[in-house]
Amino acid sequence: MNTKPLIPHSIVIATRESQLALWQAEHVQALLRARGHEVELLGMTTKGDQILDRTLSKVGGKGLFVKELEVALEEGRAHIAVHSLKDVPMELPEGFVLACVMEREDPRDAFVSNRYAALAELPQGAVVGTSSLRRQALLQALRPDLRIEPLRGNVNTRLRKLDEGHYDAIVLAAAGLMRLGLADRIRARFEPTGMLPAAGQGALGIEVRADRQDLIDALAPLAHQTTWLTVTAERAVSRCMGGSCSMPLAAHGTFDGQQLRLDAAWGDPEGRLPLVQVHADATVTDFASADALGQHVAALLQAAGAQPAPKL
Ligand SMILES: NCc1[nH]cc(CCC(=O)O)c1CC(=O)O
């Protein structure tokens, strides 16, 4: 019997209620409406949103932000979930797929400060706020003198803590600031060579139940193939390293024609080994060749001393 479900009369997007998550959900809502779909939002508060005082890596990691949205999809209360790809675990739970990856916004990290125009202008021993182990490891490699202090919360919370004077500067994804209309807070964008972005940074992915081919078809026009191939390679590095937010890991791809150059960096979670940084190029035309390049770069990282997370 063919039980292929019909496209729902109205597509419901499950979303977290942070300003950035709402912007992203509304962005997808507008794109789908322009294609003739009726689209509503279902706002939800996830466990990840409620934990503002502890470092995310200590309380269960990125999955906290997506699990509750997946429950809503599972129960049919919502049909699709829009995620910052950076926050999506490398392997989705059984029964879920990424229906598409959309065109990437600026993938770089941004230097944000009320007093200094760039990292190089920070005085010796200045205090920089970030709870990202990747940003911490890369910042310390660039400027060993800096004092890195924890900084959690959504984008607006982090900016408020900067404005309250707790930090000389903070580092945030440029994409998040731009989406929130806060691009004027960016004092400088880091060159990816010095502050290599996280896998998937700046890209949005849309998750659906794997059995909803109708929704996968409806979302196909929103996909951006070059971004999708790039983040496939980046995410393969992370998957092969057992990456999570408790491992300082960066992976960033850039296309030149059909050549994908993939850079990656690994920092020792214990802070004892030096930063490892590698890159490789390959002709990438499909998901298999993108994934293979990511696997190769993960192998190069390990050959240079990076240690993958032990398999559970
Ligand atoms: N970890 C939180 C998060 N997830 C996605 C973004 C920014 C937007 C993006 O990368 O798509 C941010 C904020 C930040 O890192 O500054």
Side-chain angles (χ1 to χ4, degrees), residues 127 149 160-168:
V127 176
E149 296 284 344
R160 179 174 44 82
K161 290 179 181 170
L162 170 72
D163 294 342
E164 286 168 358
H166 302 300
Y167 310 93
D168 293 305

Side-chain angles (χ1 to χ4, degrees), residues 25-65:
E26 285 165 6
H27 176 61
V28 170
Q29 179 181 42
L31 291 173
L32 288 172
R33 278 185 175 160
R35 308 193 68 85
H37 299 283
E38 257 182 56
V39 191
E40 275 149 45
L41 302 190
L42 174 67
M44 354 195 14
T45 305
T46 68
K47 288 220 172 64
D49 296 306
Q50 291 160 7
I51 299 161
L52 297 175
D53 53 337
R54 284 166 289 171
T55 300
L56 200 56
S57 53
K58 296 204 179 107
V59 292
K62 302 181 177 186
L64 288 179
F65 289 117

Side-chain angles (χ1 to χ4, degrees), residues 131-283:
S131 286
S132 149
L133 298 183
R134 173 187 62 87
R135 289 177 179 141
Q136 185 176 333
L138 295 170
L139 282 168
Q140 296 278 219
L142 291 169
R143 282 285 304 264
D145 61 292
L146 297 178
R147 271 179 47 210
I148 313 290
E149 296 284 344
L151 173 61
R152 281 266 303 137
N154 63 38
V155 173
N156 285 302
T157 307
R158 293 189 216 182
L159 290 171
R160 179 174 44 82
K161 290 179 181 170
L162 170 72
D163 294 342
E164 286 168 358
H166 302 300
Y167 310 93
D168 293 305
I170 64 175
V171 180
L172 292 170
L177 291 165
M178 291 162 75
R179 289 179 185 136
L180 293 177
L182 294 168
D184 61 338
R185 298 295 305 254
I186 301 175
R187 299 297 296 273
R189 288 173 168 80
F190 285 98
E191 282 312 313
T193 42
M195 271 294 280
L196 205 61
Q201 182 156 304
L204 300 181
I206 306 182
E207 182 182 20
V208 299
R209 269 168 44 184
D211 60 359
R212 294 304 301 266
Q213 189 60 45
D214 55 333
L215 291 168
I216 295 172
D217 293 343
L219 292 165
L222 271 49
H224 188 260
Q225 202 60 17
T226 308
T227 300
W228 204 344
L229 292 174
T230 307
V231 301
T232 297
E234 293 168 0
R235 285 169 61 79
V237 177
S238 195
R239 187 188 73 236
C240 294
M241 292 301 295
S244 70
C245 50
S246 50
M247 177 189 288
L249 187 68
H252 182 62
T254 43
F255 264 105
D256 181 3
Q258 291 194 334
Q259 283 294 110
L260 181 60
R261 175 188 163 117
L262 185 58
D263 284 87
W266 176 88
D268 177 10
E270 316 294 328
R272 285 186 295 241
L273 303 172
L275 190 75
V276 176
Q277 219 158 341
V278 302
H279 67 88
D281 303 80
T283 302

